[in-house]
Amino acid sequence: MFQIGDKIVHPMHGAGVIDSIATQRVNGVVRDYYVLKLPVGGMQVMVPTENSAEIGVRPIVAAGKAEEIIVALRDIQVENDSNWNRRYRENMLRLKSGDLMEVARVMKGLILRDEKKGLSTGERKMLHSAKQILISEIVLSQNASYEEIEGRINMALTQ
């Protein structure tokens, strides 16, 4: 179980800090929720404590691992299926995995596809989400600013 102040990651919303643990009644059921404050966008997410592991909530990566991911961005190999449905489904599974390297793979693949052929509205939203998830975790892991990490990621992708 996590504590107030812990830095954790929700696979579909990104990283944040547990602001509080609240008890709420939702649909007639009383449950405890982690109130997760996300630094990117200032959003709050409530995650049920009892099934947070099933959702994929985990502690943020160590600063060294976050650095490895930034460095590895240049060499990440991506395969883009030409079938939009299959590509979207595979990318969604990668995002939901909660694995930061897979999130980086989705982001890089969509950026490359955008440069070559452009993206559909759904894939453009997915690219935005992948980028936010990746940056939010690295920002918290390395105690850096959003702008600094975004710049470092962009630099790694252009090398």
Side-chain angles (χ1 to χ4, degrees):
M1 188 153 167
F2 299 108
Q3 313 265 327
I4 294 171
D6 285 353
K7 296 175 181 178
I8 62 172
V9 179
H10 186 289
M12 295 307 292
H13 296 292
V17 179
I18 297 177
D19 202 32
S20 63
I21 300 174
T23 303
Q24 296 256 330
R25 177 184 300 271
V26 177
N27 295 331
V29 179
V30 177
R31 288 192 177 114
D32 288 336
Y33 292 86
Y34 296 121
V35 179
L36 185 62
K37 185 175 182 184
L38 306 178
V40 177
M43 186 169 67
Q44 279 194 336
V45 176
M46 293 182 68
V47 181
T49 59
E50 64 193 39
N51 57 343
S52 62
E54 293 146 33
I55 293 169
V57 174
R58 61 170 174 76
I60 64 168
V61 297
K65 179 69 175 168
E67 189 61 34
E68 287 174 23
I69 290 168
I70 292 173
V71 171
L73 274 172
R74 185 188 67 205
D75 298 322
I76 290 177
Q77 297 298 311
V78 294
E79 308 122 23
N80 271 326
D81 194 312
S82 60
N83 180 301
W84 181 89
N85 254 352
R86 193 172 316 134
R87 186 174 62 246
Y88 188 86
R89 210 175 18 230
E90 287 171 1
N91 282 338
M92 189 57 76
L93 288 173
R94 285 187 177 116
L95 287 180
K96 286 181 180 180
S97 76
D99 181 336
L100 204 53
M101 191 61 85
E102 289 300 311
V103 173
R105 186 178 316 280
V106 169
M107 185 189 74
K108 183 174 182 180
L110 291 173
I111 287 171
L112 292 174
R113 181 154 190 91
D114 191 26
E115 289 170 357
K116 290 181 185 167
K117 297 185 177 187
L119 296 175
S120 67
T121 303
E123 284 183 314
R124 191 162 305 287
K125 286 180 184 177
M126 183 179 282
L127 172 57
H128 179 73
S129 292
K131 198 170 189 180
Q132 296 298 86
I133 290 167
L134 182 69
I135 292 173
S136 71
E137 186 164 358
I138 295 173
V139 161
L140 283 180
S141 177
Q142 296 193 341
N143 290 322
S145 72
Y146 182 92
E147 293 77 19
E148 177 188 344
I149 298 303
E150 184 177 35
R152 291 185 60 216
I153 286 172
N154 290 339
M155 183 78 76
L157 288 168
T158 58
Q159 289 179 348

